[in-house]
mmCIF file of all heavy atoms in Angstrom:
data_model
loop_
_atom_site.group_PDB
_atom_site.id
_atom_site.type_symbol
_atom_site.label_atom_id
_atom_site.label_comp_id
_atom_site.label_asym_id
_atom_site.label_seq_id
_atom_site.Cartn_x
_atom_site.Cartn_y
_atom_site.Cartn_z
ATOM 1 N N LEU U 1547 -7.625 62.434 -45.092
ATOM 2 C CA LEU U 1547 -7.842 63.292 -43.931
ATOM 3 C C LEU U 1547 -8.818 64.424 -44.229
ATOM 4 O O LEU U 1547 -9.602 64.828 -43.371
ATOM 5 C CB LEU U 1547 -6.507 63.872 -43.454
ATOM 6 C CG LEU U 1547 -6.570 64.739 -42.179
ATOM 7 C CD1 LEU U 1547 -7.173 63.947 -41.021
ATOM 8 C CD2 LEU U 1547 -5.194 65.261 -41.809
ATOM 9 N N TYR U 1548 -8.796 64.942 -45.457
ATOM 10 C CA TYR U 1548 -9.612 66.110 -45.773
ATOM 11 C C TYR U 1548 -10.761 65.820 -46.744
ATOM 12 O O TYR U 1548 -11.600 66.693 -46.968
ATOM 13 C CB TYR U 1548 -8.730 67.215 -46.369
ATOM 14 C CG TYR U 1548 -7.649 67.676 -45.419
ATOM 15 C CD1 TYR U 1548 -6.323 67.312 -45.631
ATOM 16 C CD2 TYR U 1548 -7.954 68.441 -44.305
ATOM 17 C CE1 TYR U 1548 -5.333 67.717 -44.756
ATOM 18 C CE2 TYR U 1548 -6.981 68.851 -43.423
ATOM 19 C CZ TYR U 1548 -5.662 68.488 -43.656
ATOM 20 O OH TYR U 1548 -4.684 68.881 -42.785
ATOM 21 N N ALA U 1549 -10.786 64.637 -47.329
ATOM 22 C CA ALA U 1549 -11.804 64.351 -48.355
ATOM 23 C C ALA U 1549 -13.220 64.498 -47.812
ATOM 24 O O ALA U 1549 -14.079 65.117 -48.443
ATOM 25 C CB ALA U 1549 -11.602 62.950 -48.921
ATOM 26 N N ALA U 1550 -13.484 63.947 -46.646
ATOM 27 C CA ALA U 1550 -14.849 63.952 -46.118
ATOM 28 C C ALA U 1550 -15.277 65.346 -45.666
ATOM 29 O O ALA U 1550 -16.414 65.768 -45.901
ATOM 30 C CB ALA U 1550 -14.975 62.965 -44.969
ATOM 31 N N THR U 1551 -14.374 66.069 -44.992
ATOM 32 C CA THR U 1551 -14.752 67.401 -44.507
ATOM 33 C C THR U 1551 -14.943 68.366 -45.668
ATOM 34 O O THR U 1551 -15.879 69.171 -45.680
ATOM 35 C CB THR U 1551 -13.698 67.944 -43.538
ATOM 36 O OG1 THR U 1551 -12.399 67.818 -44.136
ATOM 37 C CG2 THR U 1551 -13.709 67.187 -42.232
ATOM 38 N N ARG U 1552 -14.073 68.308 -46.666
ATOM 39 C CA ARG U 1552 -14.172 69.268 -47.769
ATOM 40 C C ARG U 1552 -15.306 68.957 -48.741
ATOM 41 O O ARG U 1552 -15.702 69.809 -49.515
ATOM 42 C CB ARG U 1552 -12.826 69.353 -48.492
ATOM 43 C CG ARG U 1552 -11.785 70.033 -47.617
ATOM 44 C CD ARG U 1552 -10.436 70.148 -48.246
ATOM 45 N NE ARG U 1552 -9.510 70.813 -47.329
ATOM 46 C CZ ARG U 1552 -8.197 70.877 -47.502
ATOM 47 N NH1 ARG U 1552 -7.646 70.307 -48.568
ATOM 48 N NH2 ARG U 1552 -7.430 71.495 -46.622
ATOM 49 N N LEU U 1553 -15.803 67.732 -48.678
ATOM 50 C CA LEU U 1553 -17.018 67.406 -49.421
ATOM 51 C C LEU U 1553 -18.252 67.480 -48.527
ATOM 52 O O LEU U 1553 -19.338 67.056 -48.919
ATOM 53 C CB LEU U 1553 -16.902 66.005 -50.035
ATOM 54 C CG LEU U 1553 -15.910 65.883 -51.194
ATOM 55 C CD1 LEU U 1553 -15.729 64.430 -51.601
ATOM 56 C CD2 LEU U 1553 -16.367 66.707 -52.395
ATOM 57 N N LEU U 1554 -18.070 68.017 -47.305
ATOM 58 C CA LEU U 1554 -19.156 68.220 -46.350
ATOM 59 C C LEU U 1554 -19.866 66.919 -46.010
ATOM 60 O O LEU U 1554 -21.089 66.870 -45.848
ATOM 61 C CB LEU U 1554 -20.148 69.258 -46.892
ATOM 62 C CG LEU U 1554 -19.521 70.615 -47.237
ATOM 63 C CD1 LEU U 1554 -20.519 71.509 -47.946
ATOM 64 C CD2 LEU U 1554 -18.983 71.303 -45.998
ATOM 65 N N ALA U 1555 -19.068 65.860 -45.897
ATOM 66 C CA ALA U 1555 -19.620 64.538 -45.573
ATOM 67 C C ALA U 1555 -19.566 64.240 -44.078
ATOM 68 O O ALA U 1555 -20.227 63.309 -43.613
ATOM 69 C CB ALA U 1555 -18.856 63.453 -46.331
ATOM 70 N N VAL U 1556 -18.776 64.995 -43.327
ATOM 71 C CA VAL U 1556 -18.720 64.872 -41.870
ATOM 72 C C VAL U 1556 -18.668 66.270 -41.275
ATOM 73 O O VAL U 1556 -18.253 67.220 -41.951
ATOM 74 C CB VAL U 1556 -17.477 64.072 -41.395
ATOM 75 C CG1 VAL U 1556 -17.528 62.642 -41.873
ATOM 76 C CG2 VAL U 1556 -16.192 64.756 -41.829
ATOM 77 N N PRO U 1557 -19.083 66.425 -40.021
ATOM 78 C CA PRO U 1557 -18.992 67.748 -39.384
ATOM 79 C C PRO U 1557 -17.540 68.195 -39.278
ATOM 80 O O PRO U 1557 -16.620 67.372 -39.179
ATOM 81 C CB PRO U 1557 -19.604 67.503 -37.996
ATOM 82 C CG PRO U 1557 -20.397 66.253 -38.129
ATOM 83 C CD PRO U 1557 -19.707 65.417 -39.151
ATOM 84 N N ALA U 1558 -17.330 69.477 -39.276
ATOM 85 C CA ALA U 1558 -15.972 70.013 -39.193
ATOM 86 C C ALA U 1558 -15.297 69.650 -37.887
ATOM 87 O O ALA U 1558 -14.057 69.580 -37.808
ATOM 88 C CB ALA U 1558 -16.003 71.528 -39.358
ATOM 89 N N ASP U 1559 -16.099 69.402 -36.816
ATOM 90 C CA ASP U 1559 -15.507 69.078 -35.512
ATOM 91 C C ASP U 1559 -15.387 67.570 -35.280
ATOM 92 O O ASP U 1559 -15.139 67.124 -34.155
ATOM 93 C CB ASP U 1559 -16.327 69.710 -34.380
ATOM 94 C CG ASP U 1559 -17.787 69.246 -34.386
ATOM 95 O OD1 ASP U 1559 -18.174 68.494 -35.310
ATOM 96 O OD2 ASP U 1559 -18.536 69.647 -33.474
ATOM 97 N N ALA U 1560 -15.543 66.772 -36.311
ATOM 98 C CA ALA U 1560 -15.409 65.322 -36.168
ATOM 99 C C ALA U 1560 -13.983 64.972 -35.777
ATOM 100 O O ALA U 1560 -13.031 65.706 -36.080
ATOM 101 C CB ALA U 1560 -15.789 64.623 -37.468
ATOM 102 N N SER U 1561 -13.812 63.846 -35.114
ATOM 103 C CA SER U 1561 -12.480 63.425 -34.692
ATOM 104 C C SER U 1561 -11.622 63.080 -35.903
ATOM 105 O O SER U 1561 -12.131 62.812 -36.992
ATOM 106 C CB SER U 1561 -12.577 62.203 -33.776
ATOM 107 O OG SER U 1561 -13.045 61.078 -34.505
ATOM 108 N N VAL U 1562 -10.326 63.067 -35.686
ATOM 109 C CA VAL U 1562 -9.398 62.746 -36.763
ATOM 110 C C VAL U 1562 -9.669 61.343 -37.301
ATOM 111 O O VAL U 1562 -9.654 61.111 -38.520
ATOM 112 C CB VAL U 1562 -7.940 62.882 -36.291
ATOM 113 C CG1 VAL U 1562 -6.974 62.348 -37.344
ATOM 114 C CG2 VAL U 1562 -7.621 64.330 -35.984
ATOM 115 N N SER U 1563 -9.937 60.389 -36.403
ATOM 116 C CA SER U 1563 -10.186 59.018 -36.858
ATOM 117 C C SER U 1563 -11.456 58.932 -37.704
ATOM 118 O O SER U 1563 -11.497 58.215 -38.709
ATOM 119 C CB SER U 1563 -10.286 58.075 -35.654
ATOM 120 O OG SER U 1563 -11.376 58.434 -34.816
ATOM 121 N N GLN U 1564 -12.510 59.686 -37.307
ATOM 122 C CA GLN U 1564 -13.747 59.694 -38.095
ATOM 123 C C GLN U 1564 -13.495 60.304 -39.480
ATOM 124 O O GLN U 1564 -13.987 59.797 -40.488
ATOM 125 C CB GLN U 1564 -14.828 60.497 -37.373
ATOM 126 C CG GLN U 1564 -15.419 59.800 -36.158
ATOM 127 C CD GLN U 1564 -16.421 60.689 -35.452
ATOM 128 O OE1 GLN U 1564 -16.162 61.869 -35.176
ATOM 129 N NE2 GLN U 1564 -17.585 60.142 -35.162
ATOM 130 N N ARG U 1565 -12.748 61.397 -39.490
ATOM 131 C CA ARG U 1565 -12.460 62.072 -40.758
ATOM 132 C C ARG U 1565 -11.645 61.178 -41.679
ATOM 133 O O ARG U 1565 -11.882 61.118 -42.880
ATOM 134 C CB ARG U 1565 -11.725 63.386 -40.489
ATOM 135 C CG ARG U 1565 -12.621 64.447 -39.867
ATOM 136 C CD ARG U 1565 -11.829 65.521 -39.170
ATOM 137 N NE ARG U 1565 -10.878 66.162 -40.056
ATOM 138 C CZ ARG U 1565 -9.873 66.927 -39.626
ATOM 139 N NH1 ARG U 1565 -9.691 67.117 -38.334
ATOM 140 N NH2 ARG U 1565 -9.056 67.490 -40.492
ATOM 141 N N ARG U 1566 -10.676 60.489 -41.117
ATOM 142 C CA ARG U 1566 -9.846 59.606 -41.943
ATOM 143 C C ARG U 1566 -10.660 58.444 -42.499
ATOM 144 O O ARG U 1566 -10.563 58.110 -43.681
ATOM 145 C CB ARG U 1566 -8.673 59.061 -41.113
ATOM 146 C CG ARG U 1566 -7.558 60.063 -40.857
ATOM 147 C CD ARG U 1566 -6.373 59.391 -40.186
ATOM 148 N NE ARG U 1566 -5.319 60.326 -39.885
ATOM 149 C CZ ARG U 1566 -4.398 60.742 -40.748
ATOM 150 N NH1 ARG U 1566 -4.420 60.287 -41.988
ATOM 151 N NH2 ARG U 1566 -3.467 61.593 -40.398
ATOM 152 N N GLN U 1567 -11.436 57.814 -41.639
ATOM 153 C CA GLN U 1567 -12.203 56.647 -42.077
ATOM 154 C C GLN U 1567 -13.240 57.021 -43.126
ATOM 155 O O GLN U 1567 -13.334 56.400 -44.200
ATOM 156 C CB GLN U 1567 -12.891 56.001 -40.877
ATOM 157 C CG GLN U 1567 -13.541 54.667 -41.186
ATOM 158 C CD GLN U 1567 -14.107 54.010 -39.942
ATOM 159 O OE1 GLN U 1567 -14.770 54.660 -39.131
ATOM 160 N NE2 GLN U 1567 -13.838 52.726 -39.769
ATOM 161 N N ARG U 1568 -14.021 58.079 -42.851
ATOM 162 C CA ARG U 1568 -15.045 58.498 -43.814
ATOM 163 C C ARG U 1568 -14.382 59.029 -45.080
ATOM 164 O O ARG U 1568 -14.818 58.745 -46.196
ATOM 165 C CB ARG U 1568 -15.918 59.586 -43.183
ATOM 166 C CG ARG U 1568 -17.189 59.899 -44.015
ATOM 167 C CD ARG U 1568 -18.275 58.900 -43.669
ATOM 168 N NE ARG U 1568 -19.414 58.974 -44.562
ATOM 169 C CZ ARG U 1568 -20.455 59.793 -44.412
ATOM 170 N NH1 ARG U 1568 -20.485 60.647 -43.419
ATOM 171 N NH2 ARG U 1568 -21.464 59.743 -45.255
ATOM 172 N N GLY U 1569 -13.308 59.797 -44.902
ATOM 173 C CA GLY U 1569 -12.631 60.377 -46.054
ATOM 174 C C GLY U 1569 -12.064 59.323 -46.977
ATOM 175 O O GLY U 1569 -12.119 59.463 -48.209
ATOM 176 N N HIS U 1570 -11.517 58.250 -46.408
ATOM 177 C CA HIS U 1570 -10.948 57.194 -47.242
ATOM 178 C C HIS U 1570 -12.020 56.548 -48.111
ATOM 179 O O HIS U 1570 -11.842 56.397 -49.327
ATOM 180 C CB HIS U 1570 -10.284 56.126 -46.368
ATOM 181 C CG HIS U 1570 -9.769 54.973 -47.163
ATOM 182 N ND1 HIS U 1570 -8.604 55.010 -47.871
ATOM 183 C CD2 HIS U 1570 -10.294 53.730 -47.372
ATOM 184 C CE1 HIS U 1570 -8.412 53.856 -48.489
ATOM 185 N NE2 HIS U 1570 -9.423 53.055 -48.190
ATOM 186 N N TRP U 1571 -13.153 56.182 -47.508
ATOM 187 C CA TRP U 1571 -14.159 55.442 -48.258
ATOM 188 C C TRP U 1571 -14.946 56.337 -49.209
ATOM 189 O O TRP U 1571 -15.376 55.888 -50.276
ATOM 190 C CB TRP U 1571 -15.069 54.674 -47.301
ATOM 191 C CG TRP U 1571 -14.302 53.570 -46.637
ATOM 192 C CD1 TRP U 1571 -13.925 53.489 -45.339
ATOM 193 C CD2 TRP U 1571 -13.742 52.436 -47.296
ATOM 194 N NE1 TRP U 1571 -13.164 52.366 -45.130
ATOM 195 C CE2 TRP U 1571 -13.037 51.691 -46.310
ATOM 196 C CE3 TRP U 1571 -13.762 51.962 -48.606
ATOM 197 C CZ2 TRP U 1571 -12.371 50.510 -46.615
ATOM 198 C CZ3 TRP U 1571 -13.085 50.791 -48.910
ATOM 199 C CH2 TRP U 1571 -12.409 50.071 -47.913
ATOM 200 N N VAL U 1572 -15.104 57.608 -48.854
ATOM 201 C CA VAL U 1572 -15.696 58.543 -49.816
ATOM 202 C C VAL U 1572 -14.753 58.723 -51.000
ATOM 203 O O VAL U 1572 -15.186 58.831 -52.155
ATOM 204 C CB VAL U 1572 -16.008 59.896 -49.143
ATOM 205 C CG1 VAL U 1572 -16.354 60.955 -50.184
ATOM 206 C CG2 VAL U 1572 -17.158 59.752 -48.153
ATOM 207 N N GLY U 1573 -13.443 58.711 -50.736
ATOM 208 C CA GLY U 1573 -12.470 58.779 -51.819
ATOM 209 C C GLY U 1573 -12.546 57.567 -52.731
ATOM 210 O O GLY U 1573 -12.455 57.688 -53.961
ATOM 211 N N VAL U 1574 -12.723 56.385 -52.147
ATOM 212 C CA VAL U 1574 -12.898 55.173 -52.957
ATOM 213 C C VAL U 1574 -14.196 55.251 -53.746
ATOM 214 O O VAL U 1574 -14.281 54.831 -54.904
ATOM 215 C CB VAL U 1574 -12.871 53.913 -52.058
ATOM 216 C CG1 VAL U 1574 -13.179 52.659 -52.871
ATOM 217 C CG2 VAL U 1574 -11.524 53.771 -51.359
ATOM 218 N N GLN U 1575 -15.233 55.823 -53.123
ATOM 219 C CA GLN U 1575 -16.514 55.994 -53.805
ATOM 220 C C GLN U 1575 -16.351 56.921 -55.015
ATOM 221 O O GLN U 1575 -16.961 56.686 -56.068
ATOM 222 C CB GLN U 1575 -17.535 56.567 -52.824
ATOM 223 C CG GLN U 1575 -18.961 56.570 -53.341
ATOM 224 C CD GLN U 1575 -19.941 57.038 -52.279
ATOM 225 O OE1 GLN U 1575 -19.585 57.748 -51.332
ATOM 226 N NE2 GLN U 1575 -21.199 56.651 -52.418
ATOM 227 N N GLN U 1576 -15.528 57.951 -54.880
ATOM 228 C CA GLN U 1576 -15.264 58.825 -56.017
ATOM 229 C C GLN U 1576 -14.606 58.049 -57.155
ATOM 230 O O GLN U 1576 -14.955 58.224 -58.327
ATOM 231 C CB GLN U 1576 -14.358 59.977 -55.595
ATOM 232 C CG GLN U 1576 -15.069 61.048 -54.783
ATOM 233 C CD GLN U 1576 -14.156 62.214 -54.495
ATOM 234 O OE1 GLN U 1576 -13.151 62.071 -53.807
ATOM 235 N NE2 GLN U 1576 -14.490 63.370 -55.030
ATOM 236 N N ALA U 1577 -13.643 57.188 -56.813
ATOM 237 C CA ALA U 1577 -12.991 56.371 -57.834
ATOM 238 C C ALA U 1577 -14.006 55.472 -58.534
ATOM 239 O O ALA U 1577 -13.963 55.290 -59.757
ATOM 240 C CB ALA U 1577 -11.877 55.539 -57.199
ATOM 241 N N ALA U 1578 -14.940 54.905 -57.767
ATOM 242 C CA ALA U 1578 -15.966 54.039 -58.348
ATOM 243 C C ALA U 1578 -16.862 54.825 -59.312
ATOM 244 O O ALA U 1578 -17.297 54.296 -60.343
ATOM 245 C CB ALA U 1578 -16.810 53.408 -57.240
ATOM 246 N N GLY U 1579 -17.136 56.087 -58.988
ATOM 247 C CA GLY U 1579 -17.934 56.917 -59.877
ATOM 248 C C GLY U 1579 -17.244 57.149 -61.209
ATOM 249 O O GLY U 1579 -17.889 57.166 -62.266
ATOM 250 N N VAL U 1580 -15.919 57.314 -61.182
ATOM 251 C CA VAL U 1580 -15.157 57.487 -62.418
ATOM 252 C C VAL U 1580 -15.228 56.224 -63.259
ATOM 253 O O VAL U 1580 -15.404 56.282 -64.484
ATOM 254 C CB VAL U 1580 -13.693 57.861 -62.099
ATOM 255 C CG1 VAL U 1580 -12.853 57.903 -63.375
ATOM 256 C CG2 VAL U 1580 -13.624 59.209 -61.393
ATOM 257 N N VAL U 1581 -15.124 55.064 -62.622
ATOM 258 C CA VAL U 1581 -15.213 53.789 -63.347
ATOM 259 C C VAL U 1581 -16.583 53.649 -64.009
ATOM 260 O O VAL U 1581 -16.690 53.241 -65.176
ATOM 261 C CB VAL U 1581 -14.946 52.600 -62.397
ATOM 262 C CG1 VAL U 1581 -15.220 51.274 -63.106
ATOM 263 C CG2 VAL U 1581 -13.514 52.633 -61.885
ATOM 264 N N ASP U 1582 -17.638 53.999 -63.288
ATOM 265 C CA ASP U 1582 -18.992 53.910 -63.865
ATOM 266 C C ASP U 1582 -19.123 54.780 -65.116
ATOM 267 O O ASP U 1582 -19.733 54.366 -66.111
ATOM 268 C CB ASP U 1582 -20.033 54.330 -62.823
ATOM 269 C CG ASP U 1582 -20.217 53.301 -61.724
ATOM 270 O OD1 ASP U 1582 -19.820 52.136 -61.930
ATOM 271 O OD2 ASP U 1582 -20.745 53.662 -60.653
ATOM 272 N N THR U 1583 -18.555 55.977 -65.057
ATOM 273 C CA THR U 1583 -18.634 56.877 -66.214
ATOM 274 C C THR U 1583 -17.845 56.328 -67.392
ATOM 275 O O THR U 1583 -18.301 56.384 -68.545
ATOM 276 C CB THR U 1583 -18.119 58.276 -65.837
ATOM 277 O OG1 THR U 1583 -18.959 58.816 -64.803
ATOM 278 C CG2 THR U 1583 -18.138 59.220 -67.035
ATOM 279 N N ARG U 1584 -16.656 55.771 -67.122
ATOM 280 C CA ARG U 1584 -15.859 55.206 -68.222
ATOM 281 C C ARG U 1584 -16.558 54.009 -68.856
ATOM 282 O O ARG U 1584 -16.518 53.821 -70.077
ATOM 283 C CB ARG U 1584 -14.466 54.788 -67.728
ATOM 284 C CG ARG U 1584 -13.633 55.843 -67.045
ATOM 285 C CD ARG U 1584 -13.466 57.119 -67.828
ATOM 286 N NE ARG U 1584 -12.665 56.979 -69.035
ATOM 287 C CZ ARG U 1584 -12.237 58.004 -69.755
ATOM 288 N NH1 ARG U 1584 -12.539 59.242 -69.396
ATOM 289 N NH2 ARG U 1584 -11.529 57.818 -70.855
ATOM 290 N N LEU U 1585 -17.201 53.205 -68.048
ATOM 291 C CA LEU U 1585 -17.950 52.069 -68.587
ATOM 292 C C LEU U 1585 -19.066 52.551 -69.518
ATOM 293 O O LEU U 1585 -19.240 52.037 -70.624
ATOM 294 C CB LEU U 1585 -18.540 51.233 -67.453
ATOM 295 C CG LEU U 1585 -17.613 50.226 -66.781
ATOM 296 C CD1 LEU U 1585 -18.222 49.713 -65.480
ATOM 297 C CD2 LEU U 1585 -17.313 49.058 -67.722
ATOM 298 N N ALA U 1586 -19.814 53.533 -69.053
ATOM 299 C CA ALA U 1586 -20.896 54.072 -69.886
ATOM 300 C C ALA U 1586 -20.337 54.670 -71.171
ATOM 301 O O ALA U 1586 -20.913 54.493 -72.248
ATOM 302 C CB ALA U 1586 -21.672 55.135 -69.098
#
Side-chain angles (χ1 to χ4, degrees):
L1547 183 57
Y1548 299 106
T1551 50
R1552 290 180 180 169
L1553 289 172
L1554 303 172
V1556 296
D1559 58 356
S1561 67
V1562 171
S1563 62
Q1564 287 177 312
R1565 289 160 57 195
R1566 285 187 182 278
Q1567 189 175 45
R1568 191 84 190 273
H1570 176 78
W1571 292 110
V1572 168
V1574 175
Q1575 190 175 23
Q1576 285 185 296
V1580 174
V1581 173
D1582 288 342
T1583 298
R1584 304 307 292 190
L1585 278 167

